């Protein structure tokens, strides 16, 4: 039946919002009547007339509003805000397991009361943990005896029988047996204690893997990591950690396990058991002294990296001098362990936790403080979703052992890492060891890319040499003693414990100075709906919308985070507090907004860059700043350990005398000054991960050494907002503040999790530890998030969670996140909720590794080259001499890997296209709008194909529009031409600044690709695609005409605007026009020319404007096949109905 399209009933916004306009309802008869056919022309003529009127109305509206962005941009932003990202809630597994059993005290040396491996090694740490109240907070697990079958996973039956026989031996027989092994003593209880030690290790690991506890610690003895398959060695009988790992692999079916061995002695037993096994990454940091330190093995050096399939999975970091301290171990973690461990992506982490590298231990003679072990443990807890089992190995200075073990357990329980003094320069010896490890492992790990690999020699001479040293006598099969009589001799007490006595007062001072205070509440949160009052009436889809904070807070509530946080009271920042950063004149000007009428507000907007005004803007900006200060008060007074401020308008672009980039008052800068003035904070770290450079914050502290400002932002050689050279890496501060401004400026994006995590590992965290902040403020903008319409980057909520985890180890956990940008509502809600979850102590989510882009690696190198002149922790950015043939092999291997990845990507995209085009057609009248959906591997959280394709297409359009169009918009809709400009000249020449809603890319910038987004979707768990029910028939199929000359050019540009990012072809006249997400030329063509059927070049689907639905019918096969042949070089399978004819 003919429908009346009168102007009274026609709402043009319905068309923009995707509603049915002049289309039959799903309940109507699908077969058109003859009267409908007669009325068809009349209805289309009216539709054509109204289409022209609508276009004219939109032109007039744009002229009237003088908007910074056209309706297509607004439509894009609005639609992106409707897309939902799938992120799982935090892992509910809680609790830290603890195993300790006094039966293990029975193992002791019967002929030497002063032997260092004595029962106090476990009773002391347990007692100290009790004193600190840690034991009561743990989940106590019962110690278990190991079975022989478990032992046989790594040891021989003969070895078991040998130890079992000691239960009946007398003293002389025990001495005679012990003398056959290196550094071993025995008594009648040794076998029982060894069974308990191993059984407890396996029990703790199993409870973690069964998700009964998140992590745990086994305070056990005897230790295990020196025990070999056929031999007791170094106080060890059964290799506890190696057996547990083998059990997890063989019986519990784990695929990847990381073993970290920070005992000062090399765990040669563990290394031998997994030397050719790529399922286990063994990482050992040990005293070596070029082979002169026990166990005196050649295989303990850095060039022993595994063999066979295990090549590259054995990592030795040899320490060739004594006295290595916190900063040396932190450098090893930052430069080697954490990058490689992230790439390895383990399912479980086992730590052979020997504390003989702690200060005062006579065995190690190293200088690692007890507090440093909290930091090392915290870093490891970001791996394997927090599944970490700490197993006691060595440690022979009781005072440092007990305190170090307690600090480790405290960290596993989620307490903040105690603040340690600012890191010093890593010594040259550890620098040489680190560079040597990188030298031999670089061909095997993609993450080791930040040195220069050339034929030029390294400035550290030891790196230019190959081991071993000529004058070292190693222990090997030929010179191995048959007996070790020295094990029967008493330890020389006076000489052996000299280091202990010398360091005892130092350890006492360290313990006294270590701040173990813990706030009453974990996390405070600031939010008030009053901040929604700041809004614009001139642009419905403005990105800085009130819903930004509402969606974030709602997500916090949905995940149960708000209930776990303490709410701070609402307050307004005073004028005196605002004046810490802003001028009085500027404050008066913003305050006057309350008294202005709409016309005056509109006029004033033109004075600022990317700012909209209303009468409540001043009120909301004061509330946002006040909330951040309230959180500072809450944290600095010890009420909360950390805090989150869900505030708007944002602040980091605001200058002393100017509002810009949606920002009025610089909330974080004010907070930094406020904390310094009120709480005498000496050092503040500000990390700004908003995708736009925080120009306002940088300017406030550019010459101030008390504030370290680190910004990670999209730069594009100065083309991206705020389009200023102030964001380049060479802007390092001035005067006393030189070196305290760090710009990690990304070019040639898009960047994602792997690039940001690499920047944190290589730059942010080393510098932060060297700076030693007392407070960390995060300008937490989430416009680098996947799906954000302004940023077009790929950072996921998982990546933001890991960055938050890394920062939370600083400043005794005093970390405050204040919302800045972020304009994809689902992305900012999930991302900030994930950050809050981490601050509350939840486990880090699983973050699969992807290789950082070459352009990101170069950006990081550029920053290192600049900043290493100011920060000694960055001294590892040097040349490493490599042989040309090795370099060529490495490049070939890398190119081969990329080729494989490209082929995999192409195969995935072909599969995607096939699944979206080769649809099985069945009618579902109950749900005619059902579409292709994407489902997670666990069967949850589905998305429609349109949402996914929109997510893949829209960022590409936003990026390529800027790159392809030589004219870019500035403020107030003004335009300027930059075509032919030198990429670096725009800022230098003082060109017009573009708005915060976008920015032109340089011609060599890499646009966001569908493959980029597809990889990120796979990272989040989207693995399966299902196609269901487009309409099998529509009344407009008879308008489809044959394909001209039998082919379709899927790369053809839009005939109106020349755009190539997302185009459709009309199946009536076969003209090509752009989609509604670009300039709507296909939509306008369909309405004006009455051509309602069109085919997408992106996914080869067919859309009918008349039915407002996807269509799949055999009549469309020839057109779809022609497009498929052009796009993929192959034909679609012929439908049976056509093959029969």
């Amino acid at each position: 039946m003919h429908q009346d399209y009168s102007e009274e009933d026609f709402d043009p916004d319905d068309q923009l919002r995707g509603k049915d306009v002049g289309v039959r309802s799903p309940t109507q008869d699908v077969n058109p009547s003859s009267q409908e056919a007669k009325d068809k022309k009349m209805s289309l003529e009216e539709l054509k007339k109204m289409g022209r009127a609508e276009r004219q109305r939109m032109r007039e509206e744009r002229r009237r509003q003088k908007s910074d962005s056209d309706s297509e941009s607004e439509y894009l932003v609005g639609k992106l805000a409707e897309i939902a990202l799938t992120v799982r809630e935090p892992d509910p597994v809680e609790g830290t397991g603890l195993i300790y059993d006094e039966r293990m005290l029975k193992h002791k040396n019967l002929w030497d009361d002063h032997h260092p491996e004595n029962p106090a090694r476990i009773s002391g740490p347990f007692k100290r943990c009790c004193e600190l109240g840690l034991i009561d907070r743990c989940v106590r697990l019962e110690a278990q005896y190991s079975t022989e079958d478990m032992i046989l996973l790594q040891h021989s039956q003969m070895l078991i029988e040998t130890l079992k026989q000691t239960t009946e031996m007398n003293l002389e027989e025990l001495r005679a047996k012990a003398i056959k092994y290196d550094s071993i003593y025995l008594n009648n209880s040794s076998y029982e204690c060894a069974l308990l030690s191993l059984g407890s290790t396996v029990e703790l690991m199993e409870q973690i893997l069964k998700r009964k506890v998140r992590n745990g610690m086994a305070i056990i003895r005897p230790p295990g990591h020196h025990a070999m398959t056929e031999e007791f060695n170094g106080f060890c009988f059964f290799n506890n950690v190696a057996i547990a790992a083998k059990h997890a692999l063989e019986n519990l079916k784990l695929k990847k396990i990381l073993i970290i061995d920070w005992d000062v002695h090399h765990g040669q037993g563990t290394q031998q058991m997994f030397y050719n096994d790529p399922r286990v990454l063994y990482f050992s940091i040990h005293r070596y002294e070029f082979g002169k330190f026990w166990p005196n093995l050649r295989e303990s050096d850095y060039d022993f990296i595994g063999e066979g399939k295990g090549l590259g999975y054995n990592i030795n970091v040899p320490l060739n001098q004594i006295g290595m301290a916190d900063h040396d171990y932190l450098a090893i973690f930052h430069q080697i362990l954490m990058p490689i461990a992230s790439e390895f992506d383990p399912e479980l982490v086992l730590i052979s936790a020997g504390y003989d590298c702690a200060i005062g231990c006579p065995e190690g003679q190293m200088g690692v403080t007890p507090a440093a072990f909290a930091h090392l443990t915290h870093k490891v807890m970001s791996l394997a979703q927090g599944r970490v089992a700490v197993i006691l190995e060595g440690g022979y200075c009781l005072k440092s052992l007990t305190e170090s073990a307690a600090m480790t357990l405290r960290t596993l329980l989620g307490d903040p890492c105690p603040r340690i003094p600012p890191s010093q320069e890593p010594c040259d010896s550890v620098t040489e060891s680190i560079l040597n490890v990188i030298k031999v492992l670089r061909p095997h790990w993609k993450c080791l890319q930040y040195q220069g690999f050339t034929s030029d020699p390294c400035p550290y001479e030891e790196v230019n040499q190959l081991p071993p040293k000529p004058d070292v006598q190693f222990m090997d099969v030929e010179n191995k003693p048959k007996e070790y009589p020295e094990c029967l001799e008493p330890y020389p007490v006076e000489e052996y414990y000299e280091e202990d006595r010398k360091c005892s007062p130092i350890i006492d001072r360290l313990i006294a100075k270590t701040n173990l205070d813990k706030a009453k509440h974990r996390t405070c949160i600031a939010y008030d709906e009053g901040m929604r009052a700041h809004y614009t009436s001139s642009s419905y889809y403005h990105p800085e919308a009130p819903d930004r904070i509402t969606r974030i807070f709602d997500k916090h509530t949905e995940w149960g985070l708000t209930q776990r946080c303490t709410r701070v009271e609402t307050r307004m920042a005073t004028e005196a507090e605002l004046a810490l950063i802003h001028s009085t004149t500027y404050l008066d000007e913003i305050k006057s907004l309350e008294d202005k009428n709409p016309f005056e507000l509109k006029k004033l907007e033109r004075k600022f860059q990317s700012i909209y005004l209303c009468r409540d803007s001043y009120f909301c900006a004061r509330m946002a700043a006040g909330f951040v200060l309230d959180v500072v008060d809450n944290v600095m007074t010890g009420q909360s350990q950390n805090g989150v401020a869900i505030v708007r308008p944002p602040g980091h672009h605001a200058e002393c005398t100017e509002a810009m980039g949606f920002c009025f008052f610089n909330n974080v800068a004010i907070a930094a000054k406020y904390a310094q003035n009120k709480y005498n904070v000496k050092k503040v770290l500000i990390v700004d991960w908003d995708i736009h450079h925080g120009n306002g914050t940088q300017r406030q502290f550019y010459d101030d050494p008390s504030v370290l400002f680190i910004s990670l932002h999209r730069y594009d050689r100065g083309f991206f907002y705020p389009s200023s050279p102030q964001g380049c890496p060479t802007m390092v501060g001035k005067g006393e503040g030189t070196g305290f401004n760090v710009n990690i400026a990304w070019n040639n994006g898009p960047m994602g999790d792997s690039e940001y995590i690499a920047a944190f590992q290589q730059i942010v965290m080393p510098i932060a530890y060297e700076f030693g902040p007392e407070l960390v403020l995060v300008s937490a903008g989430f416009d680098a998030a996947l799906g954000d319409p302004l940023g077009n980057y790929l950072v996921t909520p998982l990546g933001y969670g890991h960055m938050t985890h890394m920062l939370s180890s600083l400043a005794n956990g005093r970390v405050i996140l204040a919302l800045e940008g972020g304009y994809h509502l689902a992305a900012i809600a999930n991302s900030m909720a994930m950050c809050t979850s981490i601050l509350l102590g939840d486990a880090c989510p699983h973050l699969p590794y992807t290789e950082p882009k070459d352009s990101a690696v170069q950006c990081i190198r550029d920053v290192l080259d600049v900043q290493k002149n100011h920060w000694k922790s960055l001294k590892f950015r040097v040349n490493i001499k490599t042989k040309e043939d090795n370099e060529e092999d490495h490049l070939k291997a890398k190119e081969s890997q990329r080729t494989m990845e490209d082929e995999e990507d192409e195969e995935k995209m072909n599969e995607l296209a096939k699944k979206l085009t080769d649809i099985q057609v069945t009618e579902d009248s109950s749900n005619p709008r059902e579409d292709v959906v994407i489902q997670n591997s666990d069967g949850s959280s589905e998305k429609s194909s349109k949402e996914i394709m929109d997510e893949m297409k829209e960022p590409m359009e936003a990026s390529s529009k800027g790159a392809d169009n030589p004219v870019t918009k500035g403020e107030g809709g003004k335009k300027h031409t930059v075509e032919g400009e030198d990429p670096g000249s725009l800022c230098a020449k003082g060109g017009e600044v573009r708005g915060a809603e976008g920015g032109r890319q340089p011609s060599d910038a890499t646009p966001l690709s569908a493959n980029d987004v597809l990889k990120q979707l796979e990272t989040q768990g989207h693995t399966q695609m299902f196609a269901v029910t487009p309409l099998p028939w529509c009344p407009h199929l008879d308008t489809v005409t044959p394909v001209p000359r039998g082919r379709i050019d899927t790369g053809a540009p839009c005939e109106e605007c020349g755009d190539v990012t997302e185009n459709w072809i009309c199946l009536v006249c076969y003209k090509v026009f752009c989609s509604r997400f670009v300039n709507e030329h296909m939509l306008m063509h369909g309405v004006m020319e009455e051509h309602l059927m069109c085919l997408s070049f992106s996914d080869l689907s067919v859309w009918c404007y008349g039915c407002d639905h996807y269509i799949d019918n055999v009549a469309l096969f020839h057109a779809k096949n022609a497009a498929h042949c052009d796009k993929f070089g192959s034909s679609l399978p012929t439908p049976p109905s056509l093959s029969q004819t």
Side-chain angles (χ1 to χ4, degrees):
M1 184 175 178
H2 175 68
Q3 297 188 25
D4 181 22
Y5 299 122
S6 63
E7 289 193 11
E8 290 78 4
D9 296 329
F10 178 75
D11 182 359
D13 287 338
D14 284 346
Q15 213 170 17
L16 291 174
R17 294 168 187 153
K19 295 183 179 180
D20 292 344
V21 179
V23 181
R24 59 175 176 77
S25 70
T27 58
Q28 285 181 265
D29 186 1
V30 295
N31 293 308
S33 66
S34 58
Q35 181 61 42
E36 286 176 325
K38 292 179 181 179
D39 292 341
K40 176 182 174 183
K41 185 173 182 179
M42 182 185 303
S43 64
L44 289 175
E45 287 176 352
E46 292 177 353
L47 193 62
K48 177 178 177 181
K49 180 179 179 181
M50 287 184 293
R52 293 194 184 102
E54 172 61 11
R55 291 185 67 188
Q56 182 63 27
R57 187 191 68 79
M58 292 175 65
R59 291 192 194 100
E60 293 175 354
E61 183 179 11
R62 284 200 293 268
R63 282 196 297 268
R64 182 171 62 255
Q65 293 180 350
K66 297 183 179 178
S67 174
D68 290 337
S69 59
D70 56 22
S71 61
E72 289 84 1
S73 298
E74 293 180 352
Y75 184 87
L76 169 64
V77 174
K79 282 299 179 184
L80 278 170
E82 297 172 4
I83 300 172
L85 293 177
T86 302
V87 178
R88 294 179 181 176
E89 293 184 26
D91 190 339
V93 178
E94 296 293 342
T96 294
L98 177 73
I99 293 186
Y100 170 79
D101 195 304
E102 291 187 352
R103 286 176 291 178
M104 285 180 275
L105 300 177
K106 294 189 290 184
H107 174 62
K108 58 185 177 180
N109 193 317
L110 300 178
W111 53 84
D112 185 1
D113 292 337
H114 300 288
H115 194 280
E117 208 297 285
N118 58 65
R121 290 186 58 250
I122 61 171
S123 61
F126 183 79
K127 180 181 178 182
R128 178 56 175 158
C129 291
C130 288
E131 292 172 353
L132 295 175
L134 305 178
I135 301 300
D136 293 338
R137 298 167 55 195
C138 294
V139 178
R140 292 297 299 273
L141 303 175
E142 186 176 350
Q144 304 289 329
Y145 288 108
S146 175
T147 65
E148 286 194 9
D149 287 341
M150 189 68 68
I151 301 171
L152 288 172
L153 288 172
Q154 293 289 15
H155 297 290
S156 67
Q157 184 66 49
M158 183 182 69
L159 194 73
I160 298 174
E161 295 301 324
T162 299
L163 190 58
K164 187 186 297 185
Q165 293 168 7
T166 63
T167 60
E168 304 294 334
M169 290 181 178
N170 60 35
L171 181 59
E172 289 305 316
E173 290 172 328
L174 291 169
R175 288 167 62 93
K177 182 63 68 175
I179 202 173
K180 298 182 181 297
Y181 301 99
D182 188 359
S183 304
I184 285 292
Y185 70 80
L186 297 162
N187 71 9
N188 298 139
S189 298
S190 297
Y191 179 59
E192 178 189 7
C193 293
L195 291 178
L196 278 171
S197 184
L198 173 56
S200 299
T201 301
V202 173
E203 174 67 10
L204 174 62
M205 182 194 72
E206 286 185 342
Q207 293 301 313
I208 292 172
L209 294 177
K210 291 176 181 177
R211 299 169 66 82
K212 301 296 184 182
V213 293
R214 183 193 298 172
N215 55 44
M217 187 173 191
I219 304 177
I220 57 170
R221 61 182 290 271
H225 69 143
H226 296 305
M228 293 170 275
T229 302
E230 299 277 359
E231 183 179 348
F232 308 136
N233 185 271
F235 311 156
C236 304
F237 299 107
F238 301 139
N239 198 315
N240 306 317
V241 167
I243 293 171
K246 192 65 175 290
H247 171 54
L249 293 170
E250 300 299 332
N251 301 326
L252 304 181
K253 305 305 179 185
L254 265 66
K255 297 179 180 179
K256 292 182 180 180
I257 297 175
L258 168 63
I259 298 176
I260 301 171
D261 190 339
W262 65 47
D263 190 284
V264 82
H265 302 95
H266 180 230
Q268 82 277 22
T270 309
Q271 171 171 306
Q272 292 170 11
M273 291 171 177
F274 297 108
Y275 200 61
N276 61 356
D277 192 339
R279 299 175 297 174
V280 174
L281 174 62
Y282 176 66
F283 191 100
S284 177
I285 308 170
H286 51 267
R287 181 178 169 186
Y288 186 59
E289 297 186 47
F290 300 106
K292 296 178 181 179
F293 188 69
W294 192 90
N296 311 103
L297 300 173
R298 174 71 179 89
E299 66 196 58
S300 303
D301 212 346
Y302 69 85
D303 57 331
F304 277 73
I305 61 173
E307 65 183 8
K309 293 182 178 179
L311 190 64
Y313 292 90
N314 191 87
I315 303 175
N316 289 321
V317 184
L319 306 180
N320 293 317
Q321 70 179 37
I322 61 174
M324 299 289 185
D326 296 354
H327 46 273
D328 300 304
Y329 274 71
L330 286 171
I332 293 169
F333 270 61
H334 290 150
Q335 297 298 320
I336 308 175
L337 175 57
M338 294 312 299
I340 290 180
S342 298
E343 182 173 346
F344 179 65
D345 193 17
E347 298 168 278
L348 173 70
V349 179
L350 300 173
I351 301 179
S352 283
Y355 295 100
D356 37 10
C357 59
I359 185 171
C361 183
E363 285 287 331
Q365 299 183 50
M366 296 296 176
V368 182
T369 66
F373 287 103
H375 290 260
L376 303 184
T377 304
H378 182 272
K379 293 181 184 301
V380 174
M381 288 169 65
S382 68
L383 303 168
Q385 294 177 274
R387 291 188 282 265
V388 177
V390 179
I391 314 299
L392 182 63
E393 297 283 0
Y396 307 100
C397 170
L398 290 182
K399 189 172 289 186
S400 64
L401 165 64
T402 57
E403 196 67 20
S404 299
M407 292 302 100
T408 300
L409 181 59
R410 187 174 180 271
T411 302
L412 291 174
L413 284 164
D415 289 354
C417 294
R419 183 170 178 260
I420 57 178
S423 293
Q424 301 175 24
E425 178 182 0
C427 68
D428 286 351
S429 179
V430 81
T431 302
E432 292 170 346
S433 294
I434 289 172
L435 294 175
N436 273 326
V437 171
I438 293 173
K439 176 179 68 178
V440 296
L441 287 176
R442 176 174 170 262
H444 306 283
W445 297 98
K446 302 172 184 176
C447 58
L448 304 178
Q449 306 181 50
Y450 301 99
Q451 286 66 40
F453 299 93
T454 67
S455 58
D456 297 330
C458 179
Y460 298 94
E461 186 55 36
E462 189 63 38
V463 183
N464 299 319
Q465 309 297 324
L466 293 175
K469 294 287 188 182
D471 58 342
V472 178
Q473 182 67 45
F474 294 102
M475 184 72 71
D476 54 31
V477 176
E478 294 181 358
N479 62 11
K480 184 177 181 180
K482 294 183 178 180
E483 292 187 342
Y484 300 85
E486 61 273 13
C487 74
L488 303 180
E489 299 175 3
Y491 266 74
V493 177
E494 292 298 323
E495 179 183 344
Y496 183 80
Y497 289 104
E498 176 62 27
E499 182 78 10
D500 190 329
R501 287 191 295 272
K502 182 178 67 175
C503 292
S504 182
I506 300 175
I507 298 171
D508 288 337
R509 287 195 296 272
L510 286 171
I511 294 173
K513 290 172 59 178
T514 301
N515 180 11
L516 298 182
D517 291 341
K518 191 174 66 167
K520 180 180 179 181
H521 304 288
R522 178 79 184 203
T523 303
C524 64
I525 190 168
Y527 170 78
D528 193 298
E529 287 196 356
M531 288 177 286
R532 290 180 56 90
H534 172 63
Y535 76 99
T536 176
S537 59
S538 62
S539 177
Y540 178 74
Y541 287 128
H542 194 284
E544 209 294 281
D547 282 348
R548 293 175 64 241
I549 58 172
T550 306
R551 286 286 292 273
I552 292 174
F553 187 77
D554 288 347
K555 180 61 68 172
H556 278 66
T557 302
E558 177 187 332
W559 282 9
L561 304 178
T562 51
Q563 299 90 318
R564 297 165 59 191
C565 297
T566 181
R567 291 285 294 272
V568 301
E569 296 182 0
T570 304
R571 85 165 174 93
M572 313 290 282
T574 66
E575 291 189 17
E577 290 164 347
L578 297 176
L580 291 172
I581 295 296
H582 300 285
S583 70
T584 303
T585 303
Y586 172 69
L587 293 177
D588 290 341
E589 183 177 31
I590 301 301
K591 184 178 181 180
S592 69
L593 300 178
E594 297 176 323
D595 302 321
K596 295 188 181 298
N597 60 43
F599 177 78
E600 292 172 325
L601 291 171
K602 200 67 180 177
K603 182 178 180 181
L604 186 59
E605 280 182 4
R606 301 190 186 102
K607 176 183 176 181
F608 302 113
Q609 298 176 13
S610 299
I611 285 290
Y612 67 77
L613 303 172
C614 71
R615 298 180 69 177
D616 289 317
S617 295
Y618 176 65
F619 167 84
C620 293
R622 279 186 63 200
M623 183 182 290
F627 258 139
V628 178
L629 300 186
D630 247 0
V631 175
V632 171
D633 286 332
N634 203 277
V635 170
M636 295 307 300
T637 56
Q639 299 176 62
S640 298
Q641 200 67 48
N642 51 54
V644 176
I646 306 173
V647 296
R648 65 176 291 271
H652 69 145
H653 292 307
E655 301 276 7
C656 173
T657 61
E658 183 181 4
M660 63 180 292
F662 313 153
C663 303
F664 293 88
F665 303 140
N666 199 316
N667 306 321
V668 166
I670 294 169
K673 285 288 188 182
Y674 178 80
Q676 290 180 323
N677 292 349
K678 186 172 182 178
Y679 298 103
N680 197 31
V681 176
K682 303 296 184 184
K683 292 184 176 181
V684 179
L685 167 63
I686 300 176
V687 176
D688 188 337
W689 66 45
D690 188 283
I691 199 166
H692 303 93
H693 178 238
N695 55 288
T697 310
Q698 172 172 304
R699 192 182 303 274
Q700 293 300 328
F701 303 108
Y702 201 61
D703 58 356
D704 188 347
S706 69
V707 176
L708 170 61
F709 178 65
I710 303 179
S711 176
L712 302 91
H713 53 271
R714 180 176 171 184
Y715 186 57
D716 289 351
R717 296 178 180 83
F719 282 88
F720 196 71
Y721 187 86
S723 309
S724 165
Q726 298 301 313
C728 73
T730 57
M731 304 300 292
V732 298
K734 68 178 181 180
E736 294 183 354
T738 300
F740 292 89
N741 194 87
V742 181
N743 283 324
I744 303 172
W746 301 120
N747 298 311
N748 303 329
M751 307 302 177
D753 293 339
S754 59
E755 290 78 19
Y756 275 73
I757 296 300
F760 263 68
Q761 291 171 343
Q762 296 295 321
I763 302 171
V764 177
M765 296 311 296
I767 291 178
Y769 270 98
E770 188 173 347
F771 179 65
E774 300 169 59
L775 175 66
V776 178
L777 301 174
V778 182
S779 279
F782 297 102
D783 36 8
L786 172 66
D788 190 274
L790 303 193
N792 291 308
Y793 268 29
L794 295 164
V795 182
T796 69
L798 315 178
Y800 285 116
H802 279 259
M803 290 187 282
T804 302
H805 177 84
M806 284 188 266
L807 293 175
S808 64
S809 66
L810 303 169
N812 198 37
R814 290 173 171 171
V815 178
I816 296 172
L817 271 65
L819 179 65
E820 296 285 0
Y823 309 101
H824 184 302
L825 296 183
I828 61 174
N830 287 318
S831 297
M832 197 162 196
M834 183 63 72
C835 294
T836 303
S837 167
I838 297 301
L839 291 178
L840 281 164
D842 294 333
C844 280
H846 176 229
L847 182 63
Y849 178 83
T850 55
E851 183 178 3
K853 297 178 184 295
D854 289 343
S855 59
V857 171
Q858 188 56 52
C859 288
I860 292 173
R861 287 173 174 172
D862 292 343
V863 175
L864 291 172
D865 287 337
V866 171
Q867 293 293 342
K868 70 180 182 181
N869 298 314
H870 309 290
W871 300 97
K872 300 302 182 183
S873 55
L874 306 182
K875 64 188 296 186
F876 305 94
R877 169 66 177 147
V878 295
N879 281 330
I880 295 180
K881 185 177 181 179
T882 58
K883 293 182 180 179
E884 291 184 6
D885 53 346
N886 290 343
E887 183 69 10
E888 290 176 3
D889 290 343
H890 174 73
L891 292 175
K892 288 179 181 178
K894 188 172 183 180
E895 184 62 32
S896 175
Q897 177 69 20
R898 286 181 182 167
T899 301
M900 292 174 60
E901 291 173 353
D902 290 343
E903 290 175 352
E904 290 174 0
D905 290 341
E906 184 176 356
E907 182 178 346
K908 290 173 184 175
M909 292 305 296
N910 288 343
E911 182 181 358
L912 171 63
K914 186 177 186 302
K915 287 179 177 178
L916 290 177
T917 55
D918 188 18
I919 298 175
Q920 297 298 319
V921 180
T922 57
E923 185 171 3
D924 184 0
S925 59
S926 64
N927 187 12
R929 299 296 302 217
E930 193 169 11
D931 197 5
V932 178
V933 298
I934 288 184
Q935 190 176 56
N936 281 338
S937 55
D938 61 359
S940 63
S941 303
E942 298 182 348
K943 284 187 180 182
S944 74
S945 65
K946 185 176 186 299
E947 289 175 320
I948 296 300
M949 292 307 296
D950 287 349
E951 286 188 29
M952 291 194 293
K953 292 180 291 190
E954 290 168 341
M956 285 193 295
E957 296 165 20
S959 295
S960 59
K961 281 174 71 176
D964 296 336
N965 188 351
V967 180
T968 58
K969 289 181 285 296
E971 292 308 306
K974 297 177 183 178
K975 298 183 179 181
H976 59 281
T977 301
V978 295
E979 189 174 33
E981 289 267 20
D982 177 74
S985 67
L986 179 66
C987 301
K989 294 181 180 180
E992 270 188 278
V993 180
R994 289 165 302 287
E997 295 183 46
R1000 181 183 185 273
Q1001 295 189 72
S1003 58
D1004 60 347
T1006 304
L1008 185 65
S1009 71
N1011 283 341
D1012 291 324
V1013 182
L1014 185 61
K1015 289 177 182 177
Q1016 291 298 328
L1017 291 173
E1018 290 176 345
T1019 295
Q1020 296 180 61
H1022 300 292
T1023 57
Q1024 295 179 314
M1025 305 186 70
F1026 302 91
V1028 288
T1029 61
L1031 289 181
W1033 180 88
C1034 88
H1036 309 107
L1037 281 170
D1038 58 357
T1039 65
V1040 176
T1041 62
V1043 180
R1045 299 178 300 281
R1047 71 176 299 272
I1048 291 176
D1049 180 6
T1050 56
C1054 172
E1055 296 190 15
E1056 286 285 339
C1057 65
D1059 192 275
V1060 295
T1061 55
E1062 187 200 354
N1063 287 333
W1064 294 67
I1065 188 167
C1066 175
L1067 296 184
V1068 180
C1069 66
Y1070 288 91
K1071 292 183 178 180
V1072 176
F1073 298 101
C1074 60
S1075 77
R1076 69 173 64 187
F1077 303 112
V1078 182
N1079 291 310
E1080 297 185 341
H1081 288 134
M1082 180 55 77
L1083 174 64
M1084 295 303 176
H1085 171 77
V1087 172
M1088 296 178 66
E1089 302 299 330
E1090 305 172 6
H1091 294 178
L1092 304 181
M1093 303 289 292
C1094 57
L1095 180 145
S1096 168
F1097 287 165
S1098 295
D1099 59 15
L1100 307 189
S1101 59
V1102 174
W1103 180 263
C1104 176
Y1105 286 115
C1107 298
D1108 194 28
H1109 210 294
Y1110 288 105
I1111 310 296
D1112 189 29
N1113 184 282
V1114 69
L1116 304 172
F1117 172 77
H1118 294 294
K1120 294 175 71 173
N1121 186 55
H1124 192 277
C1125 289
D1126 182 77
K1127 189 175 180 104
F1128 301 109
S1130 62
S1131 298
L1132 291 170
T1134 304
S1137 59
L1138 289 182
S1139 60
Q1140 293 173 0
T1141 59

